[in-house]
Amino acid sequence: MIRTLLVLIAIGVGFSCDSDENKKGRFLLKGNEKMEENDPKSAMGFYGEALEMDSTYADAYYNKALAHLQLNQLTESIQDLSLAIQYNPDYYDAIFQRGLNYLDNGEFYKAREDALKLTLLEDQNWKSYFLTGLVAERLKQFPEALTAFETAFKLDPENSDLLVNQATILYYQKDFENATKLLNQAMDINPLEPNLHNLRSMIYFDEQNYEEALNSVEKAISLDKSHAYFYNNKGLYLLFLGHQQKGLDLINQSIKMDSKNPFALRNKGIYYVMQGDKASALQYLVELNQNYPDMDLVKEYLAKAQAL
């Protein structure tokens, strides 16, 4: 749920003579300039020029992978990162980014292998344990995830995201009191972290404090208007506050932004239960109960739909 991170561009080094090494470095730098201009397609052209000069140029593969990522080309990004690692087996940033990509691609066990490589390479780098925690979270190994995020925070105690990650695990475990304590600690470090306010809203919702849930998620949206989950959560809270059409509009907006979010489909099912539309509610909730049997509210609202 929480993975806001800036990837780093590899920087080429110039040389005084106009050697092949200097030329490929210039192509790398030109590609980086295009990335700064938010033009990843042109950037890939320059990285390709560098690779034509040196097919083992790990930095060019790495930067090209980031350009693919910006274009949502996850498979191609993973392929280029693997080539960067092939030619530079200890390329920490490439292994880290590939692990994140594997997670986004649903390849959790490959991500776990990369997390292990990172801890072997740099056991005092917070990112090694951050990736370890993310993998354990996806595998629902919550105690292991919590330990990893705690270790990461000890290594980078000014990183509020790592506290939010810990609070997220405690939220999954329904330990709202300690999750809230961690969020308060994160607030002291960075009160402008949107995921902090979104998670706080989720805790308020589970405590049936819907007004405060709405206030918190609106704060999250004011800080990050690009996050589909925030709009989906706001839509859910509005449903429970009696503003059902407004809630549905936001849930639909969230689906347009991210069509793969099962929580948004659940919320549409809840909306139709509230409308008394049994057929439409079952259309969503029956399949969700089959695919996500542990998702909160699904069984409850499936039973309500069946009773209509």
Side-chain angles (χ1 to χ4, degrees):
M1 191 180 84
I2 310 296
R3 189 167 71 73
T4 304
L5 202 70
L6 293 176
V7 289
L8 297 176
I9 297 281
I11 305 298
V13 179
F15 299 88
S16 58
C17 59
D18 198 25
S19 64
D20 286 348
E21 195 75 16
N22 190 27
K23 289 177 183 177
K24 75 176 186 181
R26 286 206 303 271
F27 282 127
L28 188 78
L29 290 173
K30 287 179 179 179
N32 294 351
E33 289 171 1
K34 290 298 180 182
M35 287 289 284
E36 290 177 1
E37 296 169 5
N38 197 29
D39 185 1
K41 290 184 178 179
S42 296
M44 281 195 287
F46 286 115
Y47 298 143
E49 294 278 2
L51 289 167
E52 284 186 13
M53 301 191 68
D54 181 358
S55 62
T56 69
Y57 195 6
D59 284 347
Y61 283 117
Y62 173 72
N63 287 10
K64 186 163 166 276
L66 300 186
H68 279 301
L69 192 60
Q70 194 166 329
L71 293 167
N72 296 313
Q73 297 169 342
L74 197 57
T75 300
E76 293 85 348
S77 181
I78 290 171
Q79 290 171 346
D80 277 338
L81 288 167
S82 295
L83 286 167
I85 296 163
Q86 177 182 328
Y87 295 116
N88 182 0
D90 295 338
Y91 201 153
Y92 185 93
D93 287 338
I95 297 169
F96 176 70
Q97 187 60 52
R98 188 176 68 173
L100 294 178
N101 287 6
Y102 278 144
L103 279 180
D104 287 343
N105 211 35
E107 299 179 83
F108 302 151
Y109 292 98
K110 289 183 178 179
R112 186 167 67 179
E113 290 176 8
D114 278 347
L116 178 59
K117 290 177 184 176
L118 294 179
T119 55
L120 292 174
L121 281 173
E122 296 188 22
D123 64 0
Q124 294 300 303
N125 190 322
W126 68 270
K127 292 193 291 186
S128 302
Y129 302 96
F130 176 67
L131 181 58
T132 300
L134 290 176
V135 173
E137 178 185 345
R138 296 291 182 90
L139 294 172
K140 299 188 182 303
Q141 299 168 343
F142 296 143
E144 293 86 348
L146 189 59
T147 297
F149 290 138
E150 287 172 346
T151 302
F153 182 69
K154 289 177 183 177
L155 294 169
D156 188 13
E158 295 302 314
N159 189 335
S160 64
D161 282 348
L162 298 173
L163 289 171
V164 178
N165 282 107
Q166 292 176 57
T168 300
I169 301 302
L170 293 173
Y171 169 79
Y172 293 154
Q173 297 175 320
K174 304 299 182 183
D175 186 352
F176 299 152
E177 180 179 355
N178 284 315
T180 299
K181 288 179 181 177
L182 284 172
L183 291 179
N184 291 338
Q185 188 178 346
M187 276 282 290
D188 292 337
I189 298 173
N190 180 14
L192 301 181
E193 168 50 56
N195 290 304
L196 183 163
H197 298 284
N198 180 60
L199 182 57
R200 193 185 292 278
S201 81
M202 294 164 66
I203 294 172
Y204 280 132
F205 175 79
D206 279 14
E207 294 174 340
Q208 300 183 7
N209 190 343
Y210 305 134
E211 288 286 357
E212 288 299 327
L214 182 62
N215 291 337
S216 292
V217 81
E218 286 179 340
K219 177 66 172 177
I221 291 171
S222 73
L223 294 167
D224 181 359
K225 294 179 173 60
S226 66
H227 204 309
Y229 276 80
F230 297 172
Y231 294 99
N232 181 53
N233 284 348
K234 183 177 179 180
L236 176 66
Y237 308 155
L238 287 171
L239 294 184
F240 279 80
L241 286 166
H243 305 295
Q244 293 170 6
Q245 187 56 52
K246 290 182 179 179
L248 179 64
D249 290 343
L250 284 165
I251 293 164
N252 285 333
Q253 178 182 343
S254 173
I255 291 172
K256 288 180 181 178
M257 297 169 70
D258 179 6
S259 61
K260 297 180 181 179
N261 179 6
F263 291 94
L265 302 179
R266 177 203 66 183
N267 293 349
K268 288 198 76 167
I270 292 172
Y271 166 81
Y272 285 118
V273 170
M274 291 179 171
Q275 293 296 305
D277 185 343
K278 180 176 182 177
S280 296
L282 291 175
Q283 179 183 348
Y284 290 97
L285 296 171
V286 169
E287 185 175 351
L288 284 168
N289 189 53
Q290 293 171 347
N291 296 333
Y292 304 95
D294 297 327
M295 185 183 291
D296 287 346
L297 301 177
V298 169
K299 290 188 184 302
E300 176 185 349
Y301 277 84
L302 176 59
K304 289 182 177 182
Q306 292 168 332
L308 289 173

